[in-house]
Short mmCIF file of all heavy atoms in Angstrom, two decimals:
data_model
loop_
_atom_site.label_atom_id
_atom_site.label_comp_id
_atom_site.label_asym_id
_atom_site.label_seq_id
_atom_site.Cartn_x
_atom_site.Cartn_y
_atom_site.Cartn_z
N LYS C 916 22.25 4.94 8.26
CA LYS C 916 23.23 4.49 9.25
C LYS C 916 23.46 3.00 9.15
O LYS C 916 24.59 2.52 9.08
CB LYS C 916 22.74 4.86 10.65
CG LYS C 916 23.56 4.19 11.73
CD LYS C 916 23.41 4.89 13.08
CE LYS C 916 24.21 4.11 14.12
NZ LYS C 916 23.40 3.40 15.08
N ASN C 917 22.37 2.24 9.13
CA ASN C 917 22.52 0.79 9.18
C ASN C 917 23.03 0.18 7.91
O ASN C 917 23.46 -0.96 7.89
CB ASN C 917 21.19 0.15 9.56
CG ASN C 917 20.88 0.38 11.01
OD1 ASN C 917 21.68 0.07 11.88
ND2 ASN C 917 19.74 0.96 11.29
N SER C 918 23.02 0.97 6.83
CA SER C 918 23.52 0.40 5.58
C SER C 918 25.02 0.19 5.67
O SER C 918 25.59 -0.55 4.88
CB SER C 918 23.17 1.29 4.40
OG SER C 918 23.88 2.50 4.49
N PHE C 919 25.66 0.84 6.62
CA PHE C 919 27.10 0.68 6.74
C PHE C 919 27.50 -0.32 7.81
O PHE C 919 28.68 -0.45 8.13
CB PHE C 919 27.75 2.03 7.04
CG PHE C 919 27.53 3.02 5.93
CD1 PHE C 919 26.75 4.14 6.14
CD2 PHE C 919 28.08 2.81 4.69
CE1 PHE C 919 26.53 5.05 5.12
CE2 PHE C 919 27.87 3.71 3.66
CZ PHE C 919 27.10 4.84 3.88
N TYR C 920 26.51 -0.98 8.39
CA TYR C 920 26.80 -1.94 9.45
C TYR C 920 26.37 -3.32 9.04
O TYR C 920 25.47 -3.50 8.23
CB TYR C 920 26.05 -1.56 10.73
CG TYR C 920 26.69 -0.44 11.48
CD1 TYR C 920 26.49 0.87 11.10
CD2 TYR C 920 27.51 -0.70 12.57
CE1 TYR C 920 27.09 1.90 11.78
CE2 TYR C 920 28.11 0.33 13.26
CZ TYR C 920 27.90 1.63 12.86
OH TYR C 920 28.50 2.65 13.53
N PHE C 921 26.96 -4.32 9.67
CA PHE C 921 26.51 -5.68 9.45
C PHE C 921 25.44 -5.97 10.49
O PHE C 921 25.72 -6.09 11.66
CB PHE C 921 27.68 -6.66 9.59
CG PHE C 921 27.24 -8.09 9.45
CD1 PHE C 921 26.92 -8.60 8.21
CD2 PHE C 921 27.13 -8.93 10.55
CE1 PHE C 921 26.51 -9.90 8.06
CE2 PHE C 921 26.71 -10.24 10.42
CZ PHE C 921 26.41 -10.72 9.18
N TRP C 922 24.21 -6.06 10.05
CA TRP C 922 23.12 -6.32 10.97
C TRP C 922 22.18 -7.31 10.32
O TRP C 922 21.35 -6.97 9.51
CB TRP C 922 22.38 -5.03 11.30
CG TRP C 922 21.38 -5.19 12.41
CD1 TRP C 922 21.13 -6.31 13.14
CD2 TRP C 922 20.49 -4.18 12.91
NE1 TRP C 922 20.16 -6.08 14.08
CE2 TRP C 922 19.74 -4.78 13.96
CE3 TRP C 922 20.25 -2.85 12.60
CZ2 TRP C 922 18.79 -4.07 14.68
CZ3 TRP C 922 19.29 -2.16 13.31
CH2 TRP C 922 18.57 -2.77 14.35
N ASN C 923 22.35 -8.54 10.69
CA ASN C 923 21.53 -9.60 10.13
C ASN C 923 20.89 -10.33 11.30
O ASN C 923 21.56 -10.97 12.09
CB ASN C 923 22.41 -10.57 9.32
CG ASN C 923 21.58 -11.59 8.60
OD1 ASN C 923 20.43 -11.85 8.94
ND2 ASN C 923 22.16 -12.20 7.57
N LEU C 924 19.58 -10.19 11.42
CA LEU C 924 18.89 -10.76 12.56
C LEU C 924 19.04 -12.26 12.65
O LEU C 924 18.86 -12.83 13.72
CB LEU C 924 17.41 -10.40 12.52
CG LEU C 924 17.14 -8.93 12.80
CD1 LEU C 924 15.69 -8.62 12.59
CD2 LEU C 924 17.54 -8.59 14.20
N GLN C 925 19.38 -12.87 11.53
CA GLN C 925 19.56 -14.32 11.61
C GLN C 925 20.88 -14.67 12.25
O GLN C 925 21.11 -15.81 12.62
CB GLN C 925 19.49 -14.93 10.20
CG GLN C 925 18.13 -14.80 9.60
CD GLN C 925 17.98 -15.58 8.30
OE1 GLN C 925 18.96 -15.94 7.67
NE2 GLN C 925 16.77 -15.85 7.93
N MET C 926 21.77 -13.65 12.37
CA MET C 926 23.05 -13.91 13.00
C MET C 926 23.11 -13.36 14.42
O MET C 926 23.92 -13.77 15.20
CB MET C 926 24.19 -13.28 12.18
CG MET C 926 24.32 -13.85 10.79
SD MET C 926 24.79 -15.56 10.81
CE MET C 926 26.34 -15.48 11.64
N GLY C 927 22.27 -12.38 14.68
CA GLY C 927 22.34 -11.77 16.01
C GLY C 927 21.35 -10.63 16.09
O GLY C 927 21.06 -10.02 15.08
N PRO C 928 20.86 -10.35 17.28
CA PRO C 928 19.80 -9.36 17.39
C PRO C 928 20.25 -7.91 17.26
O PRO C 928 19.43 -7.03 17.11
CB PRO C 928 19.21 -9.61 18.78
CG PRO C 928 20.29 -10.26 19.55
CD PRO C 928 21.16 -10.98 18.59
N THR C 929 21.56 -7.65 17.34
CA THR C 929 22.00 -6.25 17.26
C THR C 929 23.04 -6.12 16.16
O THR C 929 23.63 -7.11 15.73
CB THR C 929 22.64 -5.80 18.58
OG1 THR C 929 23.58 -6.77 18.98
CG2 THR C 929 21.58 -5.62 19.65
N PRO C 930 23.31 -4.90 15.73
CA PRO C 930 24.33 -4.70 14.70
C PRO C 930 25.67 -5.23 15.18
O PRO C 930 26.02 -5.08 16.36
CB PRO C 930 24.38 -3.18 14.52
CG PRO C 930 23.10 -2.68 15.04
CD PRO C 930 22.65 -3.63 16.10
N LEU C 931 26.39 -5.84 14.28
CA LEU C 931 27.60 -6.52 14.72
C LEU C 931 28.89 -5.87 14.26
O LEU C 931 29.94 -6.42 14.44
CB LEU C 931 27.57 -7.98 14.22
CG LEU C 931 26.59 -8.88 14.96
CD1 LEU C 931 26.61 -10.29 14.40
CD2 LEU C 931 26.90 -8.93 16.44
N GLY C 932 28.82 -4.71 13.62
CA GLY C 932 30.11 -4.11 13.26
C GLY C 932 30.02 -3.27 12.01
O GLY C 932 29.19 -3.50 11.13
#
Side-chain angles (χ1 to χ4, degrees):
Chain C
K916 168 161 177 251
N917 287 306
S918 68
F919 298 113
Y920 282 81
F921 177 74
W922 189 2
N923 186 340
L924 289 174
Q925 293 189 341
M926 297 295 299
T929 49
L931 287 179

